[in-house]
Amino acid sequence: MPSSRSFRPALLASLLLAPLAALAQPAQTPAAVRQYQAVEKLQAMADAGTPPALVEVAEQVRKANNPDVLKDLGTLLPVQVQMICSNGQHAALISSRFAGDGSDAAMLQQLTPAWNDAQVFALQCGAMQLSLQGTALAGLPAAQRPKEELDQMRLRTSLLLLGYADVASAVALTEVPQPQRQALLRDALAAAKQAVRSMPLHARTQYQQMVRDRVGDVPNADTALVAPLLAAFSATECDDACTLLDAEPVAP
């Protein structure tokens, strides 16, 4: 079941990658503005001190993680892209405060579908972000590619792998009704394949094993349902990010 811990590592790392000044205002597309407003509303709910209606919490999480926000990602500045990815995770993290200690099954049932949307959004956004950065760097002569950018791509690959493992673990979690997990798999599979295309070819077998190990930590894991996410690592497609990362192999 998603919890604050599911979102915290990726959120904190992503915030470190974005200048704080850029987080003060939304990227200027209508969908990004709506995302920012949803995060602000969730924060206001958290600060109010009175428990909000969970249906409203779930609605705002979904608004903050709406795939429409990603449609114009390629037209934005890198720092704006980073902010959009961070905002989606931030919304999920704020909402996890309303779940208490996670022992209220009815409460979790209301929030889990929205959290699943957030996990898919994080995977989609992270995959697109890495791919866009790779394309931008590939357009430069090798001597002009900043080492800091390549290091940042490696960090983003690690974060992407964490998000991939989170999704796989959620798909495998038999405590959640199977129809919900099937829907999560269906929504996440295209993003997972996109993420793998940007991961270095030389590391994909190792990445697959890392995800398999995470799934193995799930009690009574539904390994059959998660199989397509593991199989995606066998793909050989390699985009610009993958090519750059393969050129300078670094252990994950």
Side-chain angles (χ1 to χ4, degrees):
M1 193 72 66
S3 69
S4 60
R5 287 181 298 175
S6 301
F7 303 99
R8 193 180 304 274
L11 172 67
L12 293 180
S14 65
L15 289 176
L16 290 174
L17 294 173
L20 293 178
L23 299 177
Q25 57 183 347
Q28 294 304 309
T29 69
V33 170
R34 289 193 294 272
Q35 181 201 46
Y36 184 79
Q37 291 169 340
V39 174
E40 283 194 316
K41 190 164 186 177
L42 279 167
Q43 188 62 60
M45 291 178 186
D47 294 341
T50 55
L54 291 183
V55 65
E56 177 66 12
V57 173
E59 181 183 353
Q60 297 308 317
V61 173
R62 283 200 172 96
K63 284 182 179 179
N65 290 279
N66 190 319
D68 286 347
V69 182
L70 304 177
K71 287 182 179 178
D72 298 316
L73 219 57
T75 68
L76 300 177
L77 296 172
V79 69
Q80 293 174 315
V81 174
Q82 179 60 54
M83 182 176 57
I84 284 172
C85 292
S86 296
N87 277 342
Q89 295 173 62
H90 194 193
L93 182 59
I94 294 171
S95 73
S96 69
R97 300 181 195 175
F98 305 118
D101 62 3
S103 61
D104 188 331
M107 183 179 291
L108 291 175
Q109 188 174 10
Q110 292 185 68
L111 290 176
T112 294
W115 283 339
N116 287 347
D117 287 351
Q119 287 186 306
V120 173
F121 182 92
L123 192 59
Q124 289 174 316
C125 201
M128 293 176 71
Q129 184 181 31
L130 181 59
S131 180
L132 287 168
Q133 187 175 17
T135 298
L137 277 184
L140 298 175
Q144 295 180 21
R145 293 170 190 156
K147 179 181 181 299
E148 296 78 13
E149 290 274 338
L150 290 169
D151 290 342
Q152 192 180 72
M153 285 178 62
R154 294 187 186 102
L155 175 57
R156 288 204 168 111
T157 303
S158 297
L159 294 175
L160 195 56
L161 184 62
L162 287 174
Y164 200 114
D166 284 343
V167 169
S169 297
V171 168
L173 191 61
T174 51
E175 294 176 14
V176 176
Q178 188 179 53
Q180 281 190 22
R181 294 185 290 112
Q182 289 173 328
L184 174 59
L185 174 64
R186 182 178 63 249
D187 293 342
L189 195 53
K193 291 177 179 178
Q194 182 178 10
V196 169
R197 282 196 295 272
S198 294
M199 293 178 180
L201 286 167
H202 74 270
R204 288 183 190 177
T205 299
Q206 185 177 358
Y207 289 173
Q208 182 188 53
Q209 187 58 50
M210 292 169 70
V211 174
R212 183 179 284 112
D213 289 345
R214 274 284 303 277
V215 170
D217 291 336
V218 175
N220 303 313
D222 187 346
T223 54
L225 191 60
V226 84
L229 290 172
L230 292 172
F233 285 101
S234 300
T236 56
E237 292 89 350
C238 185
D239 66 10
D240 289 329
C242 162
T243 300
L244 288 172
L245 291 168
D246 256 335
E248 297 185 52
V250 174

